[in-house]
Amino acid sequence: MAQIKCIGILTSGGDAPGMNAAIRAVTRSAIYAGFRVKGIYRGYRGLITDEIVEFKTQNVSNIIQQGGTILKTARCKEFTTPEGRKQAFDILQKEEIDALVVIGGDGSLTGARVFATEYNFPIVGLPGTIDNDLFGTDTTIGYDTALNTIMECVDKIRDTATSHERLFFIEVMGRDAGFLALNGAIATGAEAAIIPEISVEIDQLEELVKNGFRKSKNSSIVIVAESPITGGAMGLAERVKKEYPQYDVRVTILGHLQRGGSPSASDRILASRMGAAAIDALLEDQRNVMIGIRNDEIVYVPFFKAIKNDKPINRDLLNTLRRLSI
Ligand code: ADP
């Protein structure tokens, strides 16, 4: 094993509940294994600008229950350029950081992969994203909490939808992935989910109307994944107004509140297990891998697989939703 003495840790891209639990687990497992740890603030931007602080166990005390990320997060254009990554490499050398743990989504792990390849630098990734869109892992840090937040919001909207006998389109996050929309719909007893994965196969709005939604019901809730293809909840509502003017349609976009809040027990446990596994991976001389979880077992997923492949939606879930919304 290349001699690793000090591990840097950063969070990057969109924040997700449970990132703090992951930071804590990485820090403590690393110290337990005899490594030094440095916290890198503001993702790749802080790596380039040297916003780096030595972390002891107490730096991560009392954070497991907090949403967001104590390390802050950012998007960083410079890191997408060779010059920017060279600056990052120089800072890593100056700070004597020998390996990195990167917590983030698809974009952040793509950046990690590019950098790790370019500089032959050991990096382990943790899937931190509410979208659950990384291939090779059953779930991601933040997804369960976001799903629970969606459920609580939709339950509240259901009360007003029922009172007014209206059709509600509720837009949730997940630009390229309908996991939040589909499971959110099942969890709230919604009529349907409109998701990007099948938007090229069928006209989901037409299908919804054809299936006679609202016939026997006094309110209808449809969960819509944000999507440039369908136009999201607003785009669909516009279509309803034009094509099916008999329906009284309302739109709610849940937006950023889906990212916030204290992480659920599942996310805290997942983040803790994955954070500890990141250190195991480095001890085993693994590099360029994302920590995943499959059938409740920790797995190592090569970056190129986690990033490049679209994670397929479980079609059984679609059928379950259809059967239960009659
Ligand atoms: P997320 O990790 O939530 O998907 P982004 O897609 O915004 O978030 O990516 C976060 C950061 O990762 C970007 O701001 C950039 O610094 C870095 N990144 C993304 N794609 C690349 C790439 N192809 N090469 C290098 N860095 C990248």
Side-chain angles (χ1 to χ4, degrees):
M1 191 182 92
Q3 201 47 23
I4 295 174
K5 293 200 187 80
C6 177
I7 296 171
I9 170 169
L10 62 84
T11 50
S12 165
D15 62 308
M19 279 183 162
N20 282 326
I23 294 167
R24 172 180 179 271
V26 171
T27 302
R28 296 228 166 135
S29 308
I31 292 171
Y32 184 85
F35 295 116
R36 286 173 69 200
V37 177
K38 290 194 174 180
I40 301 161
Y41 283 83
R42 296 182 178 77
Y44 296 125
R45 200 203 302 157
L47 181 55
I48 290 173
T49 55
D50 200 0
E51 287 187 76
I52 299 175
V53 172
E54 174 113 24
F55 264 25
K56 303 288 183 198
T57 57
Q58 53 274 23
N59 287 86
V60 294
S61 295
N62 202 20
I63 64 168
I64 194 168
Q65 76 281 21
Q66 291 174 22
T69 156
I70 58 157
L71 283 174
K72 314 286 182 194
T73 182
R75 299 201 154 85
C76 174
K77 249 207 161 110
E78 294 92 311
F79 198 75
T80 62
T81 67
E83 298 76 29
R85 291 192 296 275
K86 170 76 171 66
Q87 277 174 290
F89 182 70
D90 291 344
I91 297 291
L92 286 171
Q93 290 210 302
K94 174 180 162 259
E95 293 281 349
E96 298 181 331
I97 294 172
D98 316 300
L100 276 179
V101 176
V102 171
I103 307 168
D106 189 71
S108 303
L109 299 188
T110 304
R113 184 194 176 200
V114 171
F115 185 80
T117 313
E118 214 166 38
Y119 288 96
N120 190 25
F121 198 87
I123 307 188
V124 171
L126 295 188
T129 165
I130 65 167
D131 294 344
N132 193 23
D133 59 349
L134 286 158
F135 184 87
T137 185
D138 291 342
T139 186
T140 57
I141 297 165
Y143 172 65
D144 181 68
T145 307
L147 198 51
N148 277 289
T149 303
I150 289 168
M151 187 180 73
E152 284 165 23
C153 294
V154 175
D155 285 350
K156 291 194 168 85
I157 293 167
R158 167 82 68 189
D159 291 345
T160 179
T162 313
S163 305
H164 283 286
E165 303 187 318
R166 276 175 181 153
L167 165 64
F168 265 86
F169 284 142
I170 302 175
E171 185 175 293
V172 300
M173 285 185 171
R175 186 157 276 269
D176 306 303
F179 296 99
L180 285 172
L182 184 51
N183 282 315
I186 291 174
T188 55
E191 319 306 316
I194 295 189
I195 58 173
E197 285 87 344
I198 57 165
S199 52
V200 282
E201 290 170 29
I202 49 165
D203 185 337
Q204 296 171 86
L205 181 62
E206 199 183 285
E207 195 190 50
L208 186 68
V209 175
K210 212 171 59 201
N211 289 346
F213 73 105
R214 255 189 123 198
K215 266 197 188 128
S216 58
K217 301 191 176 176
N218 60 8
S219 76
S220 286
I221 287 186
V222 176
I223 314 288
V224 182
E226 60 174 345
S227 163
I229 309 172
T230 63
M234 290 302 258
L236 289 165
E238 286 302 316
R239 272 191 63 195
V240 171
K241 274 182 204 154
K242 278 198 204 109
E243 295 169 37
Y244 312 100
Q246 65 272 34
Y247 297 117
D248 183 16
V249 61
R250 292 290 185 278
V251 168
T252 301
I253 296 173
L254 295 187
H256 283 88
L257 66 82
Q258 294 164 86
R259 285 194 191 284
S262 180
S264 66
S266 293
D267 272 332
R268 294 181 198 193
I269 295 164
L270 180 72
S272 299
R273 290 179 69 188
M274 286 182 160
I279 301 306
D280 291 340
L282 287 171
L283 286 167
E284 291 165 24
D285 209 14
Q286 294 277 345
R287 41 176 70 201
N288 269 341
V289 293
M290 179 190 83
I291 305 296
I293 193 145
R294 251 183 272 151
N295 301 323
D296 206 31
E297 300 259 354
I298 291 287
V299 290
Y300 300 149
V301 189
F303 278 150
F304 73 90
K305 277 198 188 161
I307 300 156
K308 287 276 173 251
N309 296 301
D310 280 337
K311 181 165 168 177
I313 206 99
N314 181 349
R315 300 266 166 168
D316 289 346
L317 292 175
L318 271 174
N319 287 334
T320 302
L321 179 60
R322 281 195 189 117
R323 278 156 59 189
L324 301 186
S325 64
I326 53 172

